[in-house]
Amino acid sequence: MIAAATTHMRNGLWSQNGGYETPLLYAVTALGVAFTGPGGVSLDRLFGLNWPWPYGLYAAALGLLAALPFVMMRRRRLAKEPDQPQRNDVWHPKQRLRIRIPV
């Protein structure tokens, strides 16, 4: 979810503006389940799987390591994109689409 959230960082926090609120909420929820356990009504409980709390740290570290290559690729691609559009281009920030308008 970190990799998903980084794609929306320019739009701010709130989802109504295309922000990273939803991926952040999913990541926090997943970490909460990883640290507290699945609860009484779950398949883990049914099959007798009991994971101690340090496995939550392992899951968080694995998630960060898995997201790192995607975040680095995105940063590299954003560094190559021009900040200012050309004079006769229309730039739509959400779609990252350039439309050439004849002058």
Side-chain angles (χ1 to χ4, degrees):
M1 294 283 55
I2 292 170
T6 58
T7 61
H8 300 281
M9 292 297 278
R10 287 185 176 180
N11 300 330
L13 174 66
W14 305 114
S15 292
Q16 65 196 20
N17 299 328
Y20 59 92
E21 177 185 13
T22 302
L24 180 67
L25 176 68
Y26 291 161
V28 169
T29 302
L31 283 176
V33 170
F35 282 111
T36 61
V41 183
S42 67
L43 292 176
D44 290 348
R45 182 72 55 147
L46 179 67
F47 294 127
L49 299 173
N50 188 14
W51 302 80
W53 72 268
Y55 284 100
L57 291 176
Y58 303 144
L62 182 63
L64 288 173
L65 285 175
L68 187 63
F70 297 104
V71 172
M72 296 306 292
M73 286 186 331
R74 172 125 176 98
R75 283 182 173 230
R76 185 179 305 153
R77 189 172 65 214
L78 286 177
K80 291 180 182 177
E81 288 182 5
D83 289 338
Q84 298 294 327
Q86 294 178 3
R87 198 175 71 187
N88 61 345
D89 285 350
V90 175
W91 181 263
H92 193 282
K94 289 189 179 181
Q95 295 179 356
R96 301 194 192 290
L97 179 67
R98 283 189 184 190
I99 303 169
R100 180 71 73 181
I101 298 174
V103 180

